[in-house]
Amino acid sequence: MSSGSGFSESLQSKLFMIVAMLLFTACSSKSLVDHPTTRSALWVQNASEYDAQCIQVYSVATQKLNDILSEQIKKDSLISQKPYAIIVDVDETVLDNSPFQARMILKGSNYNNEDWNEWVNEAQAEAIAGAVDFLTFAASNDIQIFYITNRDADTEEATFSNLSALGFPLNEDIDVLLTKYEREDWNSSKINRRAMVKQNYEVIMMFGDDLNDFYDAKNVSSSARDQIVINNRDKWGNSWFILPNPIYGSWEQSIFEFQNTLTETERNKIILNSLNPKN
Ligand SMILES: [Mg+2]
């Protein structure tokens, strides 16, 4: 009888442990699913529609470049001009860092410099769909490609080898990978680096996933950002090409009015207030 009771107690305690573990697993996986970037990272990594949009952007750009090259042949006999260049951003424009975001979600963490640079130094990001073919086509037509990125200067070598291994056109003779603070005045705004390229080249196209890849929109309000987009209406799809990035970007910082010290409750309130139910 006593041994039967002991067995029952042991079974009960085992059952209790199993139920507790299941509850813990359910709770922890629920909180990971609730990470602010889970749905957007899920979309980037799993929706075929994401690749389709990227291919669409680079396909339109290829047609536009063909038009520009045809025009150039006509103009060449008339005027001399600076050599052509194309400026591309790196992250989420030519390289896909969604595995980094997946790591952050799965360990319940957020973007931080240490984890980010560790990922960058692994140099195993894959190419955004359509990017290698387009830039290879441009380079084969003697167009210089410049990569302007806010990756840290000390990750330049890893970034270069990542791009190179994927077949992106690079140049060993001149610096075409312009990283943040590689020079003192190369801050995150990118305007100084764009200006430097424009000194010697005619920039015919720019590619990015963030408004700041085209126009200095640092600390600019959401409504002013909308105005920048509208004011440059003619450039989109002609000389400015934007890739989708629902995971992160300056759009999000503008919603929070560039405040870095908000509590989670304050952030959640702003998020709900930023939704427009039109009633
Ligand atoms: Mg980017």
Side-chain angles (χ1 to χ4, degrees):
M1 192 67 189
S2 63
S3 69
S5 168
F7 175 77
S8 169
E9 275 170 25
S10 137
L11 187 65
Q12 272 181 355
S13 93
K14 272 184 184 162
L15 275 172
F16 176 79
M17 287 288 288
I18 289 166
V19 169
M21 279 173 68
L22 283 173
L23 273 173
F24 175 77
T25 309
C27 288
S28 59
S29 61
K30 182 180 183 300
S31 63
L32 294 180
V33 167
D34 284 347
H35 190 285
T37 64
T38 301
R39 295 281 295 184
S40 50
L42 190 70
W43 184 76
V44 167
Q45 295 205 315
N46 294 276
S48 309
E49 290 83 350
Y50 171 66
D51 280 354
Q53 285 190 33
C54 297
I55 289 168
Q56 179 175 265
V57 169
Y58 283 112
S59 170
V60 170
T62 305
Q63 292 164 32
K64 289 288 168 190
L65 185 53
N66 270 321
D67 293 347
I68 291 169
L69 293 170
S70 309
E71 275 299 304
Q72 188 194 28
I73 292 165
K74 281 189 239 161
K75 277 183 184 172
D76 256 353
S77 56
L78 302 173
I79 48 167
S80 66
Q81 53 192 338
K82 291 176 184 174
Y84 284 169
I86 289 174
I87 293 175
V88 296
D89 165 53
V90 172
D91 297 316
E92 281 45 78
T93 298
V94 299
L95 291 183
D96 166 18
N97 299 288
S98 58
F100 165 76
Q101 199 60 35
R103 288 182 189 182
M104 292 302 99
I105 294 165
L106 294 172
K107 73 176 202 176
S109 186
N110 288 305
Y111 176 91
N112 62 83
N113 264 340
E114 194 185 345
D115 283 332
W116 170 251
N117 283 340
E118 189 181 313
W119 157 254
V120 166
N121 283 321
E122 286 175 25
Q124 61 155 332
E126 290 182 19
I128 297 284
V132 173
D133 284 350
F134 169 74
L135 292 176
T136 303
F137 168 65
S140 71
N141 282 284
D142 297 327
I143 294 165
Q144 186 60 59
I145 316 298
F146 287 94
Y147 302 81
I148 298 186
T149 174
N150 279 343
R151 287 186 171 198
D152 291 341
D154 59 9
T155 64
E156 180 161 346
E157 204 179 318
T159 303
F160 192 96
S161 67
N162 196 161
L163 291 167
S164 177
L166 292 168
F168 282 104
L170 293 154
N171 191 330
E172 299 279 356
D173 301 326
I174 57 167
D175 188 9
V176 295
L177 179 53
L178 314 181
T179 52
K180 189 172 67 173
Y181 288 121
E182 189 182 324
R183 292 188 193 171
E184 204 178 340
D185 64 335
W186 288 3
N187 56 24
S188 61
S189 96
K190 295 189 173 180
I191 52 173
N192 293 339
R193 285 173 279 174
R194 282 200 288 270
M196 192 202 75
V197 172
K198 285 174 182 174
Q199 280 175 7
N200 299 314
Y201 294 87
E202 186 175 342
V203 176
I204 55 169
M205 290 177 167
M206 298 201 290
F207 292 76
D209 65 299
D210 191 293
L211 201 47
N212 287 285
D213 295 325
F214 308 90
Y215 192 101
D216 189 34
K218 285 271 166 202
N219 299 311
V220 168
S221 70
S222 287
S223 57
R225 290 165 54 83
D226 287 346
Q227 204 54 52
I228 292 169
V229 169
I230 291 165
N231 290 348
N232 290 282
R233 186 191 304 269
D234 294 345
K235 295 193 179 82
W236 300 113
N238 281 310
S239 55
W240 290 5
F241 297 87
I242 193 152
L243 283 297
N245 179 3
I247 299 178
Y248 65 91
S250 58
W251 64 272
E252 195 177 16
Q253 293 150 19
S254 78
I255 288 172
F256 299 120
E257 295 179 337
F258 307 94
Q259 301 173 86
N260 297 320
T261 53
L262 295 172
T263 63
E264 198 182 340
T265 311
E266 288 168 330
R267 285 172 71 89
N268 287 344
K269 193 177 165 193
I270 292 171
I271 288 169
L272 294 179
N273 284 338
S274 302
L275 294 169
N276 177 12
K278 227 170 169 63
N279 61 19

